Amino acid sequence: HNHNHPPHECGTKVTPAVIQHFDNKMREYHKTEQMFLNSRALLPIEYVPIKAHIVRTSAGTGGLTTTELNDAIDDMNAYYINANMQFFLCDGINYIDDDNYYDYDAADEATLDATYSVANMINIYFCNSVTSGGDPLCGYAYFPNVASPDLIMMDNSCAVNGSTLSHEMGHFFQLYHTHGTTNGT
């Protein structure tokens, strides 16, 4: 059986622990969805690097826990395996200890992006809250566009609900909405 492993293009060596984690997840998935996967078993899995930015207070308190982050990525990967896609953390977690971004407002996006985003991967920022124009949001992302930043903003409480991160990632890959009634269905 040929296992597909994440590429090394981000400069981070994929550790045996990471490979084991992916292999275990794939085995779990294969057990429950083997019949469904038979038709696409020969298709390669596309591994997509993500950079996680966890925003905490200036004192270093608050913020998403490592367990919550891993669970959110696992939930997202459970959805995206249906499209033969899997996301992996590249080069660990970046902690941003800054009260200015802990409760994030979209007006600060350009500064945050210029300061912390890493090129050639999807940057996901996890904040205590996300607002735009005074409106609270679960998160947001951009449709693919040369001028769009490669980032997704997430409210921590929504990051752990099992669907919002997958939904926002869908926008990044040009899906209008992955759920809800605004698709006309």
Side-chain angles (χ1 to χ4, degrees):
H1 183 67
N2 178 28
H3 289 286
N4 295 286
H5 297 302
H8 294 246
E9 293 164 356
C10 67
T12 298
K13 292 212 184 297
V14 177
T15 65
V18 169
I19 292 168
Q20 188 64 53
H21 178 76
F22 272 114
D23 286 350
N24 289 342
K25 287 291 168 191
M26 287 302 296
R27 266 195 289 282
E28 288 171 26
Y29 189 84
H30 276 277
K31 277 183 209 158
T32 55
E33 297 290 339
Q34 191 57 54
M35 303 242 341
F36 175 77
L37 279 177
N38 279 343
S39 62
R40 44 177 90 200
L42 298 175
L43 295 174
I45 294 170
E46 183 76 26
Y47 287 96
V48 180
I50 56 176
K51 183 66 184 179
H53 304 272
I54 293 180
V55 182
R56 303 183 295 194
T57 66
S58 293
T61 60
L64 208 64
T65 68
T66 305
T67 300
E68 289 170 332
L69 173 65
N70 288 331
D71 287 349
I73 293 170
D74 287 346
D75 286 345
M76 180 169 62
N77 278 336
Y79 285 111
Y80 279 86
I81 191 64
N82 293 302
N84 282 42
M85 293 172 67
Q86 293 287 269
F87 300 92
F88 69 99
L89 273 182
C90 188
D91 200 21
I93 299 166
N94 178 38
Y95 291 96
I96 301 170
D97 296 341
D98 191 332
D99 288 337
N100 295 316
Y101 299 125
Y102 185 63
D103 288 304
Y104 169 84
D105 186 88
D108 292 324
E109 179 188 289
T111 308
L112 187 73
D113 185 44
T115 307
Y116 297 105
S117 287
V118 179
N120 302 317
M121 60 186 77
I122 303 170
N123 292 271
I124 308 176
Y125 291 86
F126 297 92
C127 303
N128 187 55
S129 64
V130 175
T131 57
S132 180
D135 296 323
L137 302 172
C138 250
Y140 70 83
Y142 290 93
F143 291 111
N145 183 312
V146 174
S148 297
D150 292 336
L151 61 78
I152 294 173
M153 299 302 306
M154 290 294 305
D155 175 304
N156 287 341
S157 61
C158 296
V160 297
N161 69 9
S163 65
T164 300
L165 181 56
S166 298
H167 177 100
E168 298 307 334
M169 188 63 78
H171 292 317
F172 190 89
F173 286 99
Q174 215 157 358
L175 292 178
Y176 183 47
H177 283 293
T178 54
H179 56 252
T181 56
T182 53
N183 294 321
T185 59

